Each structure stands twice: as structure tokens, then as C-alpha cells.
Amino acid sequence: MLECRCPQCRIGRVFTGSAYSFHKQRTNEVCAYCGLQFEIEPGYFYAAMYVSYAMSVAEVVGGGALIYFLTRSESPTLYAIALFVIIIASSPINYRYSRLILLYYLTPRLKYDSKYQDLYEQRHQD
Ligand SMILES: [Zn+2]
């Protein structure tokens, strides 16, 4: 999951490009390797917003606690600026991993199938 691979074959990539680039992030429609359709039904990735929200809350709470322990500051401006930076900096990560968490853990229908990995290894042996 950390490498943003397809939940079914673990070979094909779920996203185009890298998380931090100037190109707009895109989720591939199907896995280039096993043909799995990532957006299983229309609006499927809306559910990822809830995952993303939970991740943001965790990051903001964690970031706020970290700033407090590092600086012992009580300045609201410092927290506002720092948390804003945290939210902006982590948004590409939230975008990717909220979708991956949804694909890997919250969709029981999607299962890892080792036959794809076996096929892949056979092909790359010679
Ligand atoms: Zn795949």
C-alpha cells in the first residue's frame, strides 16, 4: 500500500506521477497490469473524503501537540500559520492514502490475488 500499488495485483500503479509535482494528481481508471477498475462504482471515491478528513484531524492534532512540546508557545498566530502549512503540505499525501486506505481496508470485495504476482515473477525470471 505504501508504494501506491493496485490492491488486487500489487504491481500496477494506482496514481499517475509522483505525490509532489506540479502536474495535477490523477487516479488511474484501471490497473495497467490486472485491469482492476479502481473506481468500483460512480462516486466511490467520495467515501475517501471521510478517510481524508480523519487523517487531517489526526495531523492537525498531532502537529499542534508537536508545536506545543517544541516551543511551549501559546501564540494563536503561530499555531494558525503552522497548522495551515501542515494542511497544505500533507494534502497530496492525504489524497493518495485516503484512496488507498479505502481500496485496501474498507472495500472487502477487493482482495489481494497472488496469481498476478506469480505470473509477474514467471515473466521476469528469464
Ligand atoms: Zn492490478
Side-chain angles (χ1 to χ4, degrees):
M1 185 185 112
L2 291 176
E3 289 181 26
C4 304
R5 303 282 181 176
C6 163
Q8 185 169 264
C9 65
R10 307 218 171 139
I11 296 166
R13 295 183 180 280
V14 178
F15 304 103
T16 60
S18 66
Y20 288 96
S21 77
F22 291 106
H23 299 287
K24 192 178 182 301
Q25 293 217 45
R26 285 193 172 278
T27 305
N28 290 322
E29 281 177 22
V30 294
C31 172
Y33 191 78
C34 71
L36 173 74
Q37 190 181 355
F38 292 131
E39 188 163 17
I40 296 168
E41 54 207 9
Y44 171 67
F45 283 123
Y46 281 112
M49 282 195 312
Y50 297 104
V51 179
S52 179
Y53 175 71
M55 289 171 77
S56 303
V57 170
E59 285 153 9
V60 164
V61 170
L66 185 70
I67 293 164
Y68 178 75
F69 285 120
L70 291 177
T71 65
R72 301 277 163 187
S73 168
E74 288 181 12
S75 152
T77 320
L78 172 72
Y79 288 96
I81 292 170
L83 295 179
F84 182 74
V85 170
I86 288 171
I87 288 169
I88 298 295
S90 64
S91 64
I93 292 181
N94 290 351
Y95 171 86
R96 290 191 164 214
Y97 288 100
S98 63
R99 290 182 171 210
L100 286 167
I101 288 169
L102 183 69
L103 283 167
Y104 272 75
Y105 300 112
L106 303 175
T107 311
R109 189 143 52 108
L110 293 182
K111 288 241 159 54
Y112 170 55
D113 191 336
S114 63
K115 79 177 179 207
Y116 295 106
Q117 200 82 47
D118 297 342
L119 274 171
Y120 184 82
E121 275 160 23
Q122 274 172 21
R123 269 191 221 167
H124 289 77
Q125 259 169 9
D126 349 277

